[in-house]
Amino acid sequence: MGMQSVLRAIYPAACMGCGEMTEEDFALCGACWRDTPFLGGAMCGFCARPLPGEAEPGLVCDACMSAPPPWSQGRAVLRYRDGARRLVLGLKHGDRTDLAAPMALWMARAVADLARPDMLVVPVPLHRSRLWRRRYNQSALLAAGVARALGCAHGPDALWRHRPTASLGGQDAEARRATLDGAIRAHPRRGAGMRGRAVLIVDDVLTSGATLTACAQAARAAGAAQIYVAALARAAPDP
């Protein structure tokens, strides 16, 4: 019996969502797949908000039409609800760091058309106090996996949250922007790696876009040539 067979016998493949046995590692069982809404169809090319109608290039939602975000294009993989929300929260707060690798592959497929030869993949940063409490930055784990899958460079410390910020949960868009005002900057030393390059900023959840806006503005100030964003999940109302 080969080593892979031995490992499979000891650690059978299990569903990422519920732990039931599956045929492949890091897969979803039928019930969890049905309960996990993947994005598809018509979406805003800036913020990945689901839109009514048929999918076509160049779609833009009303919000991004009236106030374009400071990035060129954006992608997301999941709708932030039901099974997708449970998976995201498992990664973010449940120490399910094992989920980061397969989720990063989902994200890499979603942004494959945005990849550039000189692209730098950069995570949304955590302040050191929150990183100390949580012990890991879920966005950095995702960004590392996306960079690896795309064959791009990874800049885990290119952006720097130099002061702590209150949780954005429960805040409206204006309050989120105020909370993040001036909180994220290019790292004093490692931020220079963004100059003149395409930068892909990775986050776990895109809600109002305030966090990614703060990151994109910091990347632009550091000299990034093009800026793209990718989120694992998009929190948005039904179209």
Side-chain angles (χ1 to χ4, degrees):
M1 181 181 293
M3 181 58 67
Q4 290 296 326
S5 299
V6 172
L7 291 174
R8 179 57 59 86
I10 300 173
Y11 303 108
C15 172
M16 294 167 58
C18 67
E20 290 293 319
M21 292 181 61
T22 56
E23 293 184 2
E24 299 179 358
D25 289 320
F26 302 117
L28 294 169
C29 69
C32 287
W33 180 267
R34 290 188 294 272
D35 194 42
T36 302
F38 284 80
L39 285 167
M43 287 184 288
C44 174
F46 280 122
C47 73
R49 178 187 292 272
L51 298 174
E54 298 294 324
E56 59 181 277
L59 289 177
V60 180
C61 69
D62 290 343
C64 290
M65 185 77 74
S66 60
W71 57 78
S72 298
Q73 295 183 70
R75 300 283 189 272
V77 178
L78 304 168
R79 295 288 299 274
Y80 187 58
R81 68 183 191 194
D82 306 328
R85 183 175 184 274
R86 289 191 291 274
L87 286 171
V88 173
L89 291 177
L91 171 63
K92 188 168 186 174
H93 297 300
D95 289 335
R96 290 291 310 277
T97 55
D98 59 295
L99 297 177
M103 288 174 167
L105 291 177
W106 295 346
M107 296 180 73
R109 286 194 287 268
V111 301
D113 64 315
L114 305 181
R116 303 291 184 269
D118 66 337
M119 179 171 275
L120 183 69
V121 183
V122 174
V124 168
L126 283 181
H127 187 263
R128 61 179 178 274
S129 60
R130 187 165 296 176
L131 181 61
W132 182 83
R133 292 194 301 270
R134 192 177 293 171
R135 302 186 304 281
Y136 61 91
N137 177 357
Q138 71 280 355
S139 296
L141 297 179
L142 292 170
V146 170
R148 186 164 50 249
L150 295 178
C152 296
H154 180 215
D157 300 320
L159 292 173
W160 175 43
R161 195 179 295 243
H162 70 98
R163 65 172 172 82
T165 53
S167 172
L168 300 182
Q171 296 186 23
D172 61 21
E174 184 176 352
R176 287 169 180 250
R177 287 192 293 270
T179 297
L180 289 163
D181 185 33
I184 297 175
R185 301 174 179 171
H187 191 279
R189 295 185 301 278
R190 289 177 283 278
M194 294 185 286
R195 182 173 299 279
R197 302 176 73 169
V199 172
L200 175 67
I201 303 172
V202 172
D203 201 3
D204 56 351
V205 181
L206 169 54
T207 304
S208 70
T211 301
L212 286 169
T213 293
C215 290
Q217 289 171 341
R220 183 71 70 196
Q226 298 93 31
I227 300 171
Y228 306 94
V229 302
L232 174 61
R234 179 66 163 100
D238 291 329

